[in-house]
Structure formats: C-alpha cells, structure tokens
Amino acid sequence: MIDLTAGLIILWGCVEAAYLCVLFAGGTLGLFEKLLAPALAVGVILACVLCSLYRRWQQKRMPVTEVQCRILVKNGGISLVVLAVAGMATLSHFMGNYVVDLTDAVYEMAINTADSGLLMVQHPFTGQVAGSIPRRLQILGLSTLYAAVMDMTGVSAYTLMGQIIPVLIWLWSLGIFFSLGKVLLRGREKYVWLFVGLIAFWYVLTSQSEGMTGYRLFYAGFSGETIRACVLLPFCILACCRKQWLPALLAVVGEATLVWTTYGVGYCALVTAVFFLVTLWQNRRARA
C-alpha cells in the first residue's frame, strides 16, 4: 500500500505541476484540460520508475521475509463479517440522497471554475474577484482538477464530489489502515481485519458529529482536509513506523498541495519530524 499511495501522490504532483504552469501563465481551464492527459502519462511513468527503484533499494537495505509479507486469515471469519457490514453501511449512505457540504471552499471553487472556464476567478468565502484570493490558496489545484473532470465528462458536481470521490477516499483509507494494522499488530495478524472493520465503523459512528473525520468523509469527502485526515496522515504514520522517510516526505508535499497549510508545514510534517527525532534518539541510545 505504501508503493501505491506514493505512486498516486507522485501522479498528483504531476497534475499539480501542470496546474501551476497554467495558473502562472494566466491560462484557462481549457488549457489545463489539454495538459491533463500528458501530465497523467508522465506521472504514471515517473511513479512506476521511482517506486520500483525505491522498492529495490529498500529490499537491499532490509530484506523482507515471506513470513513478514504474509497475512494470516485463519479464524478471521467474524472480522470479515464486521468489515463487510461496515462497508455496506457506508456504501448505502453514499447511494442515498444526503446533503453535501456546499459551503466547502473546494466545492464552490470547482463549480465556479467549471462555469466560468477561468482559474481562481472568485473567492469561495467572500465572493470577491481573484485579486483577493491569497497566493497560498491559489496554488491548490484540487478544485481545478474536479472542474476539469466535470467539464470533460459531463458528470455533475454532486455525483463526482458527493458520491464518487468519497467512496474512493473511503476505500483508499481502509487500505492504508490495513497496512498500518499489519505493522501495529505484528504477531497478531488475525486481528488486522477486525482493526480495519472498527475503523470503518468509526467513520460511520462519527458521521453525524460535525467536524469529526467521519462527517468530513461523508459530507465533504472531496476536500483536501478529508484526504489529509483519512489518507495522508495514516499513510505518513505507516511510512514513519516502517522508517521509510521518502514516502513520509511525499505525504508532507502532498498535504502542502491539497490543504491550506503554512506552505507545507502541516500535520504530516510534524508527525514526520517527531518520528524522525525519536528514531535518532533511539539510535543514539543503541550505540551508547
């Protein structure tokens, strides 16, 4: 899961680079759509090459045995039922008619961009012209990507950002928590499925509490803050637990291009710094 998530972050980085080129050149949504396919192609190639090279380097540095890679599913029937019920409850929620957080900045900016064909023409909070939008907010290209997908496919904003994206983020999040469970429950692999099922249920239980992760996932699963909470933060913790600092740094960069942080100094950066300092302290104690 680390390789897949790292590859997707690299892919997103190429899309963000294309968006920044169009933004600073004063281009339109149409120009970004023309650059989107080449950016995706370059991103796929770059992600495959870099992840493959990094995996080979990791295997030479710390060889992984077959026992470490294998997940025992013996006596896991109850855990599978728990996960299945949680998944059905989540998916049935998205299939019904529910309210999307229409006040979210990403949602408003995506609709404005798709309607006008221009990038960053209206501040999502104040309704003023583009000159009032802070540069740190302008460089976030997630809303423009949604606008491009809506314009090219004809999919409505509600369908794309209210139903499709949250389900993909939910599945992605559970996959990362599955890998994290293998690390945290080492030696008790049969409980990994139960761990993931409980995470899924936690999303459902917190879906009615505004501000909680479950609420963000169900009603604003398209936003950068949701992607950070459900994907990037657990991925960063997973990478740090395995002492894979390059994927952790990718999480930091991914957060900086998705969420309005202090130019990259966000939660992922703090988590990585804490884990790194603790690792240095442990290594120093081991040598003493």
Side-chain angles (χ1 to χ4, degrees):
M1 199 65 194
I2 284 186
D3 290 342
L4 176 61
T5 303
L8 290 174
I9 294 176
I10 294 173
L11 183 64
W12 162 248
C14 293
V15 174
E16 174 71 12
Y19 164 74
L20 292 178
C21 291
V22 176
L23 177 67
F24 293 132
T28 62
L29 179 63
L31 178 58
F32 175 71
E33 292 175 358
K34 293 178 180 178
L35 294 179
L36 187 57
L40 290 173
V42 172
V44 169
I45 296 174
L46 193 61
C48 291
V49 172
L50 292 180
C51 290
S52 178
L53 292 176
Y54 185 73
R55 184 190 306 170
R56 291 182 180 180
W57 179 78
Q58 281 290 120
Q59 289 176 350
K60 291 181 180 179
R61 179 169 169 262
M62 292 185 300
V64 181
T65 63
E66 182 180 354
V67 176
Q68 290 174 319
C69 294
R70 185 164 46 91
I71 283 294
L72 301 176
V73 293
K74 185 178 180 181
N75 300 325
I78 297 179
S79 302
L80 287 175
V81 171
V82 171
L83 178 59
V85 173
M88 291 173 61
T90 305
L91 293 177
S92 63
H93 175 88
F94 287 114
M95 292 172 63
N97 294 321
Y98 65 98
V99 179
V100 179
D101 188 359
L102 303 180
T103 62
D104 189 273
V106 176
Y107 192 90
E108 290 194 13
M109 294 176 73
I111 294 179
N112 291 338
T113 302
D115 291 342
S116 65
L118 302 175
L119 307 185
M120 299 293 171
V121 294
Q122 184 177 358
H123 197 293
F125 297 127
T126 64
Q128 297 177 357
V129 295
S132 64
I133 302 179
R135 179 64 69 180
R136 185 65 192 93
L137 184 59
Q138 292 185 35
I139 66 175
L140 304 180
L142 187 61
S143 60
T144 303
L145 176 62
Y146 292 149
V149 173
M150 289 187 294
D151 186 55
M152 292 187 295
T153 63
V155 177
S156 67
Y158 176 84
T159 301
L160 177 65
M161 292 184 280
Q163 294 181 316
I164 297 176
I165 297 299
V167 171
L168 294 178
I169 297 301
W170 176 75
L171 295 174
W172 191 5
S173 177
L174 292 187
I176 292 177
F177 275 109
F178 181 85
S179 298
L180 184 60
K182 290 194 293 183
V183 175
L184 299 178
L185 301 172
R186 188 174 303 170
R188 296 182 177 180
E189 289 85 356
K190 64 181 180 181
Y191 295 111
V192 172
W193 284 106
L194 180 59
F195 172 74
V196 177
L198 291 176
I199 293 295
F201 266 127
W202 179 71
Y203 281 151
V204 176
L205 292 176
T206 59
S207 62
Q208 302 303 319
S209 302
E210 187 173 355
M212 297 293 289
T213 306
Y215 182 91
R216 294 293 307 176
L217 174 63
F218 285 176
Y219 301 104
F222 51 84
S223 69
E225 292 183 357
T226 303
I227 297 175
R228 173 178 63 183
C230 298
V231 174
L232 293 181
L233 266 178
F235 170 71
C236 184
I237 295 173
L238 171 63
C240 290
C241 287
R242 292 184 174 179
K243 294 182 173 56
Q244 297 186 13
W245 305 114
L246 183 57
L249 291 177
L250 285 177
V252 174
V253 176
E255 181 186 9
T257 58
L258 288 171
V259 188
W260 191 356
T261 64
T262 309
Y263 289 94
V265 183
Y267 293 123
C268 290
L270 295 176
V271 168
T272 303
V274 169
F275 269 92
F276 186 72
L277 291 176
V278 170
T279 301
L280 288 180
W281 177 72
Q282 290 175 342
N283 293 338
R284 178 171 295 182
R285 285 195 60 185
R287 290 193 298 264

